[in-house]
Amino acid sequence: MKVVKDLGFKFIEYSNKEELNSEDIRLVDLAIDAQKTSYSPYSKFKVGAALLLENGEIIQGSNQENGAYPSGLCAERVAIFYAGAKFPGIPIKTIVITASFNNQLTIDPIPPCGACRQVMIESRNIGKKPIKVIMVGSQKIYEVEDVALLLPFNFSNVNDAVK
Ligand code: THU
């Protein structure tokens, strides 16, 4: 039987950071602060991320580029993999993403790239808890309650159908 399905989802748009709760405001500040450690001589696009873990730890990350371009890594994955290395198995509660060009915060929020979404979703599935994603621009902020919403039909190497 042919069925049309709808994967639409709701997200929140804020007009400024002060509308967030105090925990998230702090994460936004730390994500912006993380841009200072960006190594981005090629793109000159400084991305900063901050993660809040379930144990209260906060991990910052920034994009790290390389002259052999594909060898670089996005800010989000730098932070997520570092969190995994330092606090294995501790779920991530919130991820905040910010970016600047010419030392100006981007006007629009910067959504994570597809590869980062895939990595975030695997962290989410290991932690068995939704991960809130906050994308920050100077004119507006987007909040998505669960990263899984950002990548429908994501790949999973756990295939229940084969059991
Ligand atoms: N970048 C990130 O850090 N996160 C993303 O989600 C997308 C892009 C970085 C990669 C590269 O260093 C720079 O932004 C320009 O693409």
Side-chain angles (χ1 to χ4, degrees):
M1 189 176 72
K2 179 177 163 187
V3 182
V4 177
K5 299 193 170 185
D6 183 356
L7 276 170
F9 71 93
K10 295 196 172 25
F11 66 99
I12 303 172
E13 179 180 317
Y14 301 97
S15 38
N16 68 70
K17 159 184 103 165
E18 314 310 325
E19 293 166 4
L20 300 170
N21 66 42
S22 58
E23 184 177 86
D24 291 343
I25 291 174
R26 179 163 148 70
L27 288 172
V28 170
D29 291 339
L30 289 170
I32 292 170
D33 174 68
Q35 292 173 13
K36 291 183 196 145
T37 64
S38 165
Y39 175 67
S40 42
Y42 306 105
S43 72
K44 312 222 183 313
F45 193 66
K46 295 178 189 234
V47 185
L51 312 183
L52 174 64
L53 307 186
E54 285 286 346
N55 64 2
E57 293 283 345
I58 293 173
I59 305 288
Q60 292 168 284
S62 56
N63 54 329
Q64 302 295 318
E65 298 183 349
N66 190 272
Y69 290 179
S71 304
L73 199 60
C74 294
E76 300 91 317
R77 275 177 287 162
V78 167
I80 292 166
F81 290 147
Y82 180 63
K86 187 130 199 262
F87 300 105
I90 305 295
I92 299 168
K93 258 177 93 173
T94 309
I95 297 180
V96 178
I97 306 158
T98 67
S100 289
F101 191 69
N102 286 332
N103 289 322
Q104 295 272 61
L105 200 61
T106 57
I107 294 171
D108 289 327
I110 296 298
C113 78
C116 287
R117 294 179 199 204
Q118 179 68 37
V119 167
M120 288 176 193
I121 285 170
E122 188 152 327
S123 295
R124 173 213 186 273
N125 292 344
I126 292 167
K128 297 189 175 58
K129 298 225 166 109
I131 299 177
K132 177 162 78 178
V133 182
I134 299 175
M135 298 159 260
V136 180
S138 62
Q139 307 289 305
K140 55 190 172 190
I141 296 175
Y142 298 150
E143 178 182 305
V144 175
E145 65 182 354
D146 186 357
V147 66
L149 296 167
L150 290 181
L151 193 60
F153 297 113
N154 55 79
F155 172 73
S156 168
N157 54 5
V158 181
N159 188 344
D160 291 334
V162 179
K163 270 188 201 157

